[in-house]
Amino acid sequence: MADIIFKILLVGDASVGKTSLMLKFVDNHFENSYSSTIGLDYQTKIYNYKGYNIKLQIWDTAGQERFHSITSNFFHNADGILFIYDITNRNSFEGIKNWMKESEEIDNSLQKILLGNKCDLNDSRDVQKEEVEKFCNENNIDLFETSAKDNINLEEAFKRIIELVFKTKEAQNLLKNKDLSSSLIINDNIKKNNNAKCC
Ligand code: GDP
Ligand code: MG
C-alpha cells in the first residue's frame, strides 16, 4: 500500500518522447512509434524512497500539447514537472521556455527538472549541452540528458524529482509518520464502531 502520492507531469512539445519516457520508466517498454492519441491520463509506479512507499502518478498528455491546449486541470494538485525537449530538435528546446512560463502562470510552487531526451542520437544533436547547462544555472533547475530508447538516466531523473518533491513535503510537514498514521486509522475505526453501537 502506498504511504503517499506524488503527481508528476510530463510537459514538452509533441514528439520529444514524453509517452516513451513514461512507458519505459513504468513498464520497461519502448516502441519506435506511439500514437499521439494513446489517451491514457496517467500511469502509476510504486517507488520506495527513504522507507516510504511513494505512489508516482505520472501524467502524460494525449496530444493536447500539439495545440498548446493543456488545461489547468492537468496541473491541479501536481507536485512536480519534468520538462522535456529533444536534443535533435532545436525548436523543442526553444519551446521549453514557453512551457515553463505557462506552467508558472498556473502554479509557481511546483518542483521542476529539465530532460534533454534522445541522447542516443548524439550524431544528430541540434542542442548543445553547454548552452542548456547555462540556461539551467540561470533558472536554477537540474538537467538530465536521457534516452527512453536506451534507458539512459531515467532512474536518475525520476529519483531527482522525487527527492525534490519529498523535501518540499517534508518541509511542509506533509509526510505523515507511517506508524502513527496507521494507528490513527485503527483509532478512527474503533471510534466509528463505538459510534455505531451507541446510535
Ligand atoms: P511524445 O509526443 O512526446 O509523447 O513522443 P513519443 O513518446 O510519442 O515519441 C516520439 C518519437 O520519438 C517516437 O517515434 C519514439 O519512438 C521516438 N523516441 C522517443 N524517445 C526516444 C529516444 O530516447 N531515442 C530515440 N532514438 N527515439 C525516441
Ligand atoms: Mg505522447
Side-chain angles (χ1 to χ4, degrees):
M1 213 185 85
D3 301 313
I4 189 157
I5 295 175
F6 288 2
K7 180 176 173 183
I8 308 293
L9 312 180
L10 305 180
V11 172
D13 284 0
S15 293
V16 296
K18 298 180 296 299
T19 304
S20 303
L21 282 163
M22 177 180 74
L23 294 178
K24 186 70 184 175
F25 181 66
V26 171
D27 268 352
N28 198 20
H29 178 78
F30 181 82
E31 298 262 340
N32 278 318
S33 77
Y34 284 112
S35 155
S36 64
T37 53
I38 195 162
L40 289 175
D41 284 341
Y42 64 86
Q43 299 260 324
T44 59
K45 180 172 171 120
I46 298 285
Y47 192 97
N48 196 275
Y49 183 76
K50 291 198 171 172
Y52 283 80
N53 278 327
I54 298 173
K55 184 188 256 185
L56 296 179
Q57 262 188 12
I58 306 170
W59 287 70
D60 187 16
T61 49
Q64 304 97 316
E65 74 276 26
R66 282 172 205 277
F67 311 105
H68 269 254
S69 61
I70 296 181
T71 59
S72 51
N73 219 5
F74 183 70
F75 291 89
H76 186 65
N77 279 339
D79 296 300
I81 305 186
L82 305 187
F83 288 103
I84 303 162
Y85 68 95
D86 169 353
I87 69 150
T88 71
N89 177 347
R90 180 132 210 114
N91 279 341
S92 72
F93 174 58
E94 300 300 332
I96 289 297
K97 294 162 197 166
N98 287 332
W99 288 117
M100 284 188 172
K101 210 165 135 245
E102 276 184 40
S103 77
E104 274 158 21
E105 277 164 14
I106 295 169
D107 187 343
N108 204 7
S109 69
L110 303 180
Q111 295 300 317
K112 296 157 197 167
I113 61 172
L114 181 60
L115 270 52
N117 192 40
K118 308 195 188 180
C119 73
D120 56 290
L121 299 177
N122 200 32
D123 290 349
S124 325
R125 179 185 285 275
D126 196 21
V127 187
Q128 295 309 315
K129 195 172 179 192
E130 295 68 29
E131 179 190 352
V132 187
E133 278 171 342
K134 189 163 170 276
F135 170 83
C136 286
N137 279 338
E138 285 162 9
N139 289 279
N140 198 19
I141 182 170
D142 286 346
L143 169 69
F144 293 83
E145 286 200 343
T146 58
S147 167
K149 187 173 185 196
D150 291 350
N151 202 3
I152 299 171
N153 262 344
L154 297 201
E155 278 290 331
E156 290 78 357
F158 276 96
K159 182 162 180 221
R160 181 63 183 142
I161 194 78
I162 289 161
E163 203 170 68
L164 291 171
V165 172
F166 191 93
K167 266 194 203 148
T168 324
K169 292 206 187 269
E170 202 171 33
Q172 294 169 344
N173 257 338
L174 292 175
L175 296 172
K176 292 202 180 90
N177 177 324
K178 282 182 295 163
D179 299 333
L180 192 63
S181 66
S182 54
S183 72
L184 285 177
I185 292 168
I186 294 165
N187 285 339
D188 205 37
N189 283 341
I190 293 170
K191 254 192 240 154
K192 272 187 207 143
N193 287 341
N194 285 345
N195 284 348
K197 257 183 240 154
C198 75
C199 304

